[in-house]
Amino acid sequence: PGFKRILTMLADDEARHYQAIEDMAHSGDTGMGKSTILKTTKSVFDQIRADPTVDLLAAKDQLELYAAARDLEARNRDEYIARASAASDPKVRALFELVANEEQKHYIMIDELIQFIQRDEEPDWESYRLDDSLYDNINRVDVA
C-alpha cells in the first residue's frame, strides 16, 4: 500500500502538470500551486517502516523500475527547463520553471525511495532531502 501510494501521488502530480499546461494553452491561465509531495512521502516512508507486513526485500526487485522512473523525471525536468529558456512570455516561463521544480521533487522522491529500499537499518531523516521548500525556487533557467 505504501509504495502504491507513492506512485499514485506521482501520477496525480503529473496529471496536475498536464492540466496546468492545457489550461495555459487554451485559456492563458498559468496558475498552478506548489506540491508538498516530499513532505507526504516522508510520512509514507514512516508508515512503511512501521508496518511489519511490508516486504522491503520484495521491493528490491523493483529497483530497476524505480531507477528508470527517476531517470524519466530527470529528462522531464530538463525538458521543462529548456522550454522555460525558450519562452518569451514571462508567465509561460514561470509555469515551465514551476513544473521543472516539481519534476525535480519527483526525481528526489524516487531517488529517496530507492535509497530507502536499499537500507537495512532505520532511516536517518536528517540525511533525507524530503523538504519541498528546498526545490520550490530552483532557478535553473537563465532569464537574463
Side-chain angles (χ1 to χ4, degrees):
F3 297 114
K4 181 179 178 182
R5 182 167 177 215
I6 288 171
L7 296 175
T8 299
M9 290 186 317
L10 281 169
D12 290 347
D13 255 16
E14 294 299 344
R16 202 169 53 85
H17 300 165
Y18 176 81
Q19 189 60 53
I21 292 168
E22 282 288 306
D23 290 348
M24 177 187 64
H26 295 294
S27 69
D29 177 18
T30 58
M32 182 179 89
K34 297 174 184 175
S35 79
T36 57
I37 197 166
L38 295 178
K39 179 180 178 183
T40 306
T41 299
K42 184 177 175 182
S43 71
V44 172
F45 284 176
D46 287 338
Q47 292 168 9
I48 291 170
R49 197 50 98 171
D51 185 346
T53 65
V54 173
D55 184 2
L56 287 177
L57 188 59
K60 288 183 181 187
D61 291 340
Q62 301 298 315
L63 286 173
E64 199 171 299
L65 171 72
Y66 296 138
R70 179 189 58 199
D71 294 345
L72 178 61
E73 294 295 345
R75 286 193 302 276
N76 290 345
R77 176 202 59 218
D78 294 345
E79 176 66 24
Y80 287 117
I81 289 169
R83 288 180 182 262
S85 293
S88 57
D89 182 327
K91 288 183 178 182
V92 172
R93 182 183 309 120
L95 177 61
F96 284 139
E97 288 174 342
L98 177 58
V99 175
N101 290 342
E102 297 288 309
E103 295 298 328
Q104 178 64 16
K105 288 180 184 183
H106 297 173
Y107 176 91
I108 296 298
M109 177 185 178
I110 297 170
D111 193 58
E112 289 294 332
L113 175 63
I114 291 167
Q115 291 180 42
F116 177 83
I117 292 168
Q118 290 175 332
R119 290 189 176 161
D120 293 326
E121 71 281 353
E122 287 295 313
D124 174 9
W125 291 122
E126 296 305 315
S127 68
Y128 278 22
R129 304 163 288 167
L130 297 175
D131 181 352
D132 290 284
S133 66
L134 294 174
Y135 310 99
D136 283 339
N137 295 306
I138 294 175
N139 187 7
R140 294 178 180 256
V141 180
D142 182 14
V143 292

